[in-house]
Amino acid sequence: MKKKPFITALQLVFMTSGSALVFPYTFMPILNTPPSNQDVWIVLIMTIAYMFLLNIPLLVITNNFRGLSFNETFEMILGKFFGKLMALFYVLFFAYCFTACMLIVSMFINLYLFPDTPTWGLLVTILIAVCYAAYNGAGTIGRLSTIFVPIIIFTIVTFFLMGLGKMDWGVLRPVLADSKFIDMNIGAFLTAARYSETIIFFLFAQYIDEKVNINKTYIRAVLTFAVNFMLILLPTILVLGIDFARIAWNPYYVYTRQVKALGFLERMQAINTLAWFPLALLKLSLYNYMASNVFSEIVGAKSHKSFVIPIAVLGFIVCLVPILDTSSTIELLRSDRIFPFVTLPVIFVFPLIIMIVFLIRKKKIKVMLKRRQQSAAGQ
Amino acid sequence: MLSLSGCWSRIEPKYLGIVNSLIYDVDDEGKFIVHLEFLNAADAGSGDGGKSKGSNYTIRAMGDSPREAIANASQSVDRNIFGGHYKVRFFSEKLAKQSVNPTLDYILRAKITDETALIGVIKGDKPEKIYEATLDLSDTVGNYIETMSRFLPDRSSKAVFPTTLDFVRDYYSDGKQPVALLVEIVENPSQTPKGEDKGGDGGKGEEKKEYKIVCEGLAAFKDGVLAGYFNGEETRAYNFIMNKVHNIHITVPSETGNTVFGITGSKCKVKTSMDGDKIKIDVKLKVNTNIAAETGEIEINDPKEIKKLEESFNEKLKKDVEGAIKKAQQEFESDIFGFGEFVHDQHPKEWRDMKKDWDEKFKEAEISVSVESRIRRYGEIKRPFRYEEEDK
């Protein structure tokens, strides 16, 4: 039996919320989802409700299969063949997220920081750190999250407070006058559909103490994400205005460029970049680790380690395909036309099917679980 | 971090040509012209205060687009042009009258430029003269304007100092048009000419003129095109409506002299209403003042006199504000006050139909102004200086 790494509930909260914060921090898709106006902050509040709704099936499965790996859970519910097939879909999804995130990160660095550095140079730099963390596994990633995520939360709060003087709260008016209820729901749904971090919860739940309440930990993670998202969103729209924020590739970075303090503290965006970069590496490490971990279980390998570098190399090659490394392709990949619909099956549709099968076969599965627990106790 | 320090984009500071301010201009054939003012870092750091050789260095370049013009400037600069420290970017009057949109597109798109720099228009047909102007204690035009933007709004509200971001935000707003800092280069008669030596034979040849920079008024835009200018008093009225008036002084003539009002605070409230197709806008100003000086013979301890003073102040400010609004409505046809945003806020349903032709609606809007002022303090003496003397 593989020795499982131990992670704490706090680390899980940091991992999921930190990973989820990379997208609003990087390109804030909520600004371009309907209704795409001053009511966007209300859409964010509604998003939380949708997130809870969409994540119910995954949470039910996570709660009922504590201590089991991703593959073991699927195989127990769906049988060996369909379990493996389902797990394979998730591997593809993790690889997609890994590659898409790498593309977005490299484009951001290229646009705002190092315009002359070739993409391959950026990717190699990123991948060295990512492979190291993913190779060392869940425990290392968990520990990294306790360093990186508090730093990012600190910078988010600091930039919010320092920008207070520049914020024009009138931007938020009129409230709920220009938005249709249906548009706001569509916007909230699409934003919630982008939140794929519950899978991190599902996969890493096997590594946390069985006494930890999964639901409470999940709520803490979602709230940590939502509060920080709000602290990113509000100053961005209040300082840049909705229309300009919508056309900027990285509106939050543009906001941080405006922050000055005490008459001499300028160019503070450097702090934002320093905090953001490790967070992006954390997200990439997580997705690389999840892809290699689940794939290793599918093929019955002893460890995920053999797959970390091949997955990274695969992502690296895909990122260098000329047609993919263009702003228009990245915009399409991350847009509401593609991204939520790639994520939605993985976070909601498949888990819903699995949950229904579980509920149908509940008695049989409970017996299997009991037997498994007894054999584990015997060992 | 080690790997990042070796990035391809690195340039040692000694090879950077740091641009402190620049002017975007256009010639008669439609070619873009840029005037770049570089910071002479080595000179600025010298023991003589950076004044011996002049701390700024300017060059002019042309191109088919603003970006190309800047790239062409590299042909006569031995450094890498770096725009990360722009303090101010100017448009020439000629370019602003054509459209600033192509230039703004470049500014927002390019990595080396950002939105924190101030944005202004230089009045007149020779904008580059700004680099010949006397800069008082500053070493570059960029630093001069930037320093002025820190202190001038608290001394006089006769100018505006919007950043590029402020301009862009207003440009994108359906209910507000942007304004920019207005700069004028005028001859400076008070300075000793520094051209030819006039000593001995009484001066030879042509005398070199000295110029000074005057930041007064504002440049109003409509859809990215210069619509016109406000003078200092109109700009002060604009600032009253925008709630951007601090510690300024306004002189109001009275029967026996002048009363100088020190403004300690003001609040403008805008209420909009609909009367069929007609839009009514009520601008209500509440101003707290002190008496900073009284040259007449008014008994300022008398509540009746105080009331009269308040009324004369109200009348003066009302006239100024109405004049400014009328000019924006009739001459500029541009809602630089952002009344459209109030209509949007207060009548969102009606706004949906009118936002596309808001400028037309604004032109025809019925705007009323009311001013309510309160004199709170008289300063450290109770009666006018002259009045007390006569009383003795």
Side-chain angles (χ1 to χ4, degrees):
Chain A
M1 197 176 170
K2 272 198 288 186
K3 191 189 168 191
K4 284 182 177 177
F6 181 81
I7 60 165
T8 65
L10 184 69
Q11 285 174 346
L12 194 53
V13 169
F14 281 156
M15 274 196 277
T16 48
S17 56
S19 169
L21 277 171
V22 170
F23 281 166
Y25 210 78
T26 317
F27 66 96
M28 219 177 281
I30 196 169
L31 290 174
N32 290 301
T33 51
S36 196
N37 61 22
Q38 69 276 12
D39 294 326
V40 65
W41 63 279
I42 302 170
V43 172
L44 177 57
I45 294 170
M46 290 168 72
T47 299
I48 301 167
Y50 274 101
M51 277 163 66
F52 285 133
L53 273 175
L54 290 176
N55 291 334
I56 285 173
L58 259 178
L59 277 176
V60 169
I61 300 165
T62 309
N63 273 302
N64 281 284
F65 294 86
R66 294 287 296 274
L68 261 67
S69 73
F70 207 89
N71 220 38
E72 286 168 341
T73 308
F74 284 176
E75 284 183 17
M76 195 171 279
I77 300 170
L78 300 174
K80 204 156 191 172
F81 176 75
F82 286 107
K84 278 192 193 298
L85 189 67
M86 186 62 82
L88 197 62
F89 280 126
Y90 278 87
V91 171
L92 291 174
F93 173 73
F94 296 143
Y96 166 79
C97 284
F98 176 71
T99 313
C101 186
M102 255 199 317
L103 273 171
I104 290 168
V105 169
S106 64
M107 194 188 74
F108 168 76
I109 297 172
N110 204 241
L111 270 179
Y112 288 92
L113 306 171
F114 305 141
D116 301 328
T117 308
T119 308
W120 68 263
L122 292 172
L123 294 177
V124 166
T125 312
I126 290 168
L127 288 176
I128 290 168
V130 166
C131 288
Y132 175 78
Y135 190 82
N136 281 297
T140 302
I141 298 172
R143 285 190 293 278
L144 279 177
S145 71
T146 55
I147 300 167
F148 296 156
V149 181
I151 292 172
I152 205 88
I153 292 173
F154 173 75
T155 62
I156 290 169
V157 174
T158 307
F159 274 106
F160 178 82
L161 294 175
M162 291 178 84
L164 275 173
K166 284 181 174 283
M167 292 178 203
D168 173 12
W169 293 84
V171 169
L172 302 182
R173 290 201 311 262
V175 178
L176 292 174
D178 296 339
S179 316
K180 288 179 188 162
F181 185 67
I182 182 79
D183 283 344
M184 293 181 73
N185 278 282
I186 291 170
F189 176 78
L190 289 172
T191 308
R194 287 175 179 272
Y195 183 80
S196 59
E197 273 66 22
T198 319
I199 304 170
I200 299 176
F201 229 85
F202 177 37
L203 193 140
F204 282 78
Q206 59 180 309
Y207 303 135
I208 66 169
D209 193 331
E210 297 227 351
K211 287 173 191 163
V212 173
N213 185 321
I214 281 289
N215 295 337
K216 274 186 188 171
T217 313
Y218 168 79
I219 290 167
R220 276 184 201 137
V222 169
L223 291 181
T224 307
F225 164 67
V227 169
N228 283 288
F229 193 166
M230 192 63 95
L231 292 178
I232 288 175
L233 178 69
L234 279 177
T236 305
I237 58 171
L238 296 181
V239 173
L240 303 189
I242 288 283
D243 294 307
F244 179 47
R246 256 180 15 205
I247 63 160
W249 271 102
N250 188 313
Y252 187 64
Y253 180 77
V254 176
Y255 158 70
T256 59
R257 264 201 314 223
Q258 317 304 318
V259 174
K260 291 176 184 175
L262 306 171
F264 68 95
L265 288 174
E266 293 185 7
R267 317 249 151 222
M268 307 270 288
Q269 70 269 23
I271 298 170
N272 172 54
T273 313
L274 272 177
W276 169 83
F277 191 60
L279 192 74
L281 296 184
L282 179 77
K283 187 177 179 98
L284 287 168
S285 308
L286 271 165
Y287 279 93
N288 183 304
Y289 172 76
M290 291 197 292
S292 48
N293 180 287
V294 177
F295 192 70
S296 71
E297 286 183 12
I298 292 171
V299 296
K302 279 183 184 174
S303 163
H304 74 284
K305 290 180 180 177
S306 336
F307 303 99
V308 168
I309 293 173
I311 287 170
V313 171
L314 194 70
F316 175 79
I317 292 167
V318 172
C319 284
L320 290 179
V321 173
I323 198 168
L324 285 174
D325 187 22
T326 61
S327 293
S328 53
T329 310
I330 295 170
E331 178 62 10
L332 181 73
L333 282 177
R334 68 185 204 173
S335 72
D336 281 341
R337 282 170 287 165
I338 303 272
F339 200 88
F341 298 102
V342 172
T343 315
L344 199 62
V346 175
I347 62 158
F348 182 68
V349 180
F350 294 161
L352 184 69
I353 296 167
I354 296 166
M355 188 183 78
I356 292 167
V357 176
F358 164 64
L359 293 174
I360 295 167
R361 300 181 61 209
K362 197 173 181 180
K363 277 185 187 170
K364 205 176 170 185
I365 289 169
K366 286 281 176 192
V367 174
M368 285 158 72
L369 272 172
K370 210 170 185 178
R371 258 189 237 148
R372 194 189 149 83
Q373 277 167 358
Q374 281 166 354
S375 70
Q379 278 178 2
Chain B
M1 293 310 291
L2 278 173
S3 56
L4 291 179
S5 66
C7 77
W8 275 254
S9 310
R10 81 190 185 282
I11 298 164
E12 296 298 324
K14 65 179 177 179
Y15 297 124
L16 287 179
I18 298 170
V19 182
N20 197 244
S21 72
L22 85 165
I23 306 168
Y24 294 101
D25 194 6
V26 67
D27 71 2
D28 293 333
E29 288 156 16
K31 289 250 184 199
F32 283 89
I33 304 167
V34 289
H35 300 271
L36 304 167
E37 182 195 40
F38 291 91
L39 193 67
N40 189 343
D43 200 25
S46 66
D48 53 16
K51 281 283 175 187
S52 60
K53 289 182 277 180
S55 292
N56 60 347
Y57 164 70
T58 59
I59 59 160
R60 177 184 187 273
M62 288 175 76
D64 290 332
S65 64
R67 183 67 188 95
E68 196 186 314
I70 290 174
N72 290 342
S74 304
Q75 291 164 357
S76 44
V77 185
D78 60 345
R79 306 284 165 89
N80 187 72
I81 295 174
F82 179 67
H85 288 286
Y86 286 159
K87 299 286 184 190
V88 57
R89 49 174 63 97
F90 296 109
F91 297 113
S92 69
E93 189 177 83
K94 197 173 180 182
L95 176 66
K97 277 181 178 168
Q98 285 184 12
S99 173
V100 298
N101 295 349
T103 315
L104 278 176
D105 182 275
Y106 153 66
I107 290 167
L108 297 178
R109 205 175 284 280
K111 181 207 165 264
I112 59 160
T113 60
D114 70 28
E115 319 74 16
T116 55
L118 298 167
I119 195 162
V121 171
I122 303 176
K123 207 172 178 179
D125 55 358
K126 295 215 166 156
E128 64 276 16
K129 270 189 182 171
I130 197 168
Y131 295 125
E132 294 169 26
T134 315
L135 295 175
D136 301 337
L137 298 175
S138 295
D139 48 4
T140 60
V141 171
N143 289 344
Y144 179 87
I145 301 285
E146 202 251 350
T147 312
M148 199 177 251
S149 75
R150 287 174 188 252
F151 303 106
L152 193 60
D154 286 337
R155 294 186 211 132
S156 148
S157 289
K158 291 184 177 177
V160 291
F161 291 92
T163 62
T164 309
L165 178 67
D166 296 329
F167 191 94
V168 170
R169 260 187 68 164
D170 290 345
Y171 177 83
Y172 276 110
S173 170
D174 289 326
K176 192 167 188 267
Q177 292 286 350
V179 296
L181 160 73
L182 178 61
V183 172
E184 206 170 348
I185 317 302
V186 296
E187 274 186 48
N188 190 0
S190 65
Q191 298 286 321
T192 311
K194 66 179 180 185
E196 294 287 332
D197 182 10
K198 292 206 295 180
D201 58 355
K204 285 177 184 174
E206 202 178 310
E207 202 175 81
K208 190 174 178 184
K209 286 177 183 171
E210 282 258 325
Y211 297 100
K212 67 173 181 177
I213 299 169
V214 177
C215 292
E216 189 176 312
L218 64 77
F221 280 78
K222 186 183 175 185
D223 301 327
V225 177
L226 180 67
Y229 300 122
F230 266 1
N231 63 25
E233 294 212 341
E234 289 160 344
T235 305
R236 188 173 62 195
Y238 169 86
N239 280 325
F240 266 107
I241 297 174
M242 305 312 292
N243 287 316
K244 283 182 180 168
V245 170
H246 318 274
N247 300 322
I248 61 155
H249 293 91
I250 297 179
T251 305
V252 180
S254 63
E255 285 173 10
T256 54
N258 284 326
T259 309
V260 183
F261 291 85
I263 311 298
T264 56
S266 84
K267 184 81 192 161
C268 178
K269 282 189 178 173
V270 177
K271 206 174 175 190
T272 60
S273 56
M274 302 283 170
D275 184 8
D277 269 0
K278 195 87 180 165
I279 296 151
K280 286 184 177 176
I281 300 171
D282 289 318
V283 179
K284 281 186 182 172
L285 275 165
K286 280 191 175 179
V287 187
N288 283 329
T289 68
N290 290 338
I291 291 185
E294 172 54 57
T295 63
E297 295 170 22
I298 296 168
E299 170 52 277
I300 52 175
N301 265 327
D302 182 356
K304 280 182 190 168
E305 294 294 335
I306 286 293
K307 190 82 190 160
K308 272 188 199 169
L309 284 178
E310 285 174 349
E311 278 168 9
S312 62
F313 174 83
N314 294 349
E315 205 174 304
K316 155 85 178 155
L317 189 56
K318 183 175 185 255
K319 204 175 153 193
D320 286 355
V321 173
E322 280 176 343
I325 294 173
K326 202 171 177 184
K327 192 169 181 179
Q329 276 185 296
Q330 293 177 355
E331 278 186 39
F332 305 161
E333 297 178 13
S334 168
D335 180 11
I336 55 173
F337 300 98
F339 291 133
E341 290 184 346
F342 288 98
V343 177
H344 180 201
D345 183 19
Q346 294 163 15
H347 306 278
K349 278 184 188 169
E350 290 83 350
W351 176 251
R352 265 173 237 156
D353 300 327
M354 68 172 76
K355 69 177 177 185
K356 278 183 185 166
D357 53 353
W358 170 243
D359 287 325
E360 282 301 309
K361 300 268 182 195
F362 168 68
K363 200 176 144 188
E364 289 154 16
E366 198 177 289
I367 303 178
S368 61
V369 179
S370 62
V371 181
E372 193 185 316
S373 65
R374 196 160 74 99
I375 297 170
R376 297 186 66 210
R377 303 274 185 267
Y378 318 137
E380 293 184 13
I381 54 170
K382 294 176 192 168
R383 289 177 173 179
F385 182 66
R386 206 170 122 200
Y387 183 87
E388 205 155 52
E389 263 186 348
E390 283 174 4
D391 211 22
K392 283 173 191 171

